[in-house]
Amino acid sequence: MDNHNHNHGSTEKAKRPRILISVDMEGVSGIVHPRETNPDGYDYGRARALMTAEANAAVAGVLDAEPGTEVWVADAHGSYRNLLPEEVDRRARLVRGKPRPLGMLGGIDERTDAVLFVGYHVRAGAGPGVLAHTMSDALLDVRVDGRSLGEIGLNAAMAGHLGVPVILLSGDDAACAEVRELVPGVRTVAVKEALGQFATAGLHPEEARERLRRAAAEAVAGREEVRPFALSGPLTVEVDLAAAHTVDLAVLVPGVTRAEGPRSARTVAFTAPDFAQAYRVVLLLVQLGSIRPA
């Protein structure tokens, strides 16, 4: 009997699930303005605390459903140094800092069973959605085989390439609608209703956290119902850039060319054999977009 129990225990340990929670800031309850989301803003400290509390609500929900889960939390906003490390639930492992492999999905790999997107926002050019953008102000749109994808779609597809489903998203109502178009069966928590780029009608932060915790538990319990959002290669990617000089830098990257015709001033294109390479090139374009002319 002892041997049987011992073997059972080791099997359970081997099958311990791993969940990644990718946490952005713009979709967190109570946050509406860049002065809250940028480190030099007067209300950034408050926004960090709100973001950390929502991350913790998601961690708690995951562990409510499956107490033995290995939970990783990826700080996925701006500098990737926003979550307050000493305030993050001690049962989770925190991924922070940049640059790093796979950007907003830092810590994900084929062993990850599912990913949750907390505090996410709608893509650039869509909306109304609070603080809508795609990766940075340098990118106006990213199209993969003609389909416009923002951070929600790009990160869902990168996770999908690794076989990992997105099982939950929290953010404003527009972000929730965006993920539901891509991932059938995904659970969503609308913590605020977008009234414009810098305006929302939002839940109280504590109410938002309670809903997020319950939804995270439900999502983990039902994760087998959700399939990964996977795009098979080769893929044609077009990126509209905000600045003409960023286009000049982008075409220095092997395989990246100017778009044909009237869009040549602002749009670059490339073909990727799979989504992982497409994702990496997009991350590089974001970095090139931060370079100002000398």
Side-chain angles (χ1 to χ4, degrees):
M1 184 62 77
D2 286 346
N3 283 343
H4 174 76
N5 284 344
H6 176 74
N7 290 340
H8 179 70
S10 62
T11 305
E12 287 298 306
K13 189 174 182 182
K15 291 196 299 184
R16 186 183 180 201
R18 179 188 288 191
I19 302 288
L20 176 71
I21 304 170
S22 173
V23 191
D24 205 352
M25 187 180 272
E26 289 87 354
V28 168
S29 178
I31 292 175
V32 298
H33 195 276
R35 286 194 180 172
E36 297 166 340
T37 61
N38 293 330
D40 55 355
Y42 73 93
D43 240 354
Y44 173 69
R46 168 185 277 171
R48 296 180 77 185
L50 291 169
M51 178 188 182
T52 304
E54 283 201 10
N56 285 341
V59 173
V62 169
L63 293 171
D64 286 344
E66 294 195 24
T69 301
E70 184 180 342
V71 184
W72 290 49
V73 173
D75 190 324
H77 173 71
S79 65
Y80 299 168
R81 299 192 314 273
N82 310 277
L83 293 169
L84 301 165
E86 67 277 17
E87 299 293 337
V88 172
D89 191 313
R90 65 185 295 166
R91 298 171 294 177
R93 179 175 296 204
L94 176 61
V95 184
R96 75 192 300 259
K98 75 188 319 182
R100 66 190 184 208
L102 303 183
M104 294 176 74
L105 295 172
I108 200 170
D109 62 21
E110 291 89 347
R111 294 169 295 171
T112 307
D113 291 290
V115 62
L116 285 66
F117 292 167
V118 171
Y120 268 56
H121 55 82
V122 76
R123 63 186 168 82
V130 69
L131 296 165
H133 66 279
T134 297
M135 297 292 188
S136 84
D137 293 338
L139 274 56
L140 300 177
D141 192 24
V142 178
R143 293 177 300 281
V144 180
D145 285 346
R147 184 184 209 172
S148 182
L149 296 177
E151 291 172 33
I152 293 169
L154 293 169
N155 289 318
M158 185 61 238
H161 176 76
L162 297 171
V164 181
V166 179
I167 59 173
L168 177 130
L169 177 141
S170 72
D172 69 12
D173 54 330
C176 292
E178 187 170 306
V179 76
R180 284 195 298 266
E181 284 184 17
L182 303 173
V183 185
V186 66
R187 281 171 170 80
T188 58
V189 183
V191 302
K192 53 194 175 187
E193 176 187 351
L195 302 178
Q197 182 72 4
F198 305 128
T200 67
L203 299 176
H204 187 283
E206 289 178 5
E207 175 67 21
R209 289 169 212 154
E210 288 177 13
R211 294 187 188 188
L212 178 54
R213 180 171 181 166
R214 286 196 300 270
E218 292 168 4
V220 169
R223 69 177 184 272
E224 302 298 335
E225 302 159 21
V226 185
R227 289 173 54 189
F229 173 62
L231 301 175
S232 56
L235 301 160
T236 300
V237 183
E238 293 178 301
V239 181
D240 298 339
L241 297 162
H245 73 270
T246 307
V247 176
D248 298 336
L249 290 170
V251 296
L252 298 176
V253 179
V256 177
T257 60
R258 289 180 186 271
E260 299 291 322
R263 293 184 300 131
S264 61
R266 287 293 166 88
T267 304
V268 296
F270 63 93
T271 301
D274 58 33
F275 194 83
Q277 183 162 323
Y279 188 86
R280 287 198 296 269
V281 175
V282 170
L283 292 185
L284 178 60
L285 295 178
V286 171
Q287 295 305 311
L288 294 180
S290 68
I291 298 173
R292 299 287 168 259

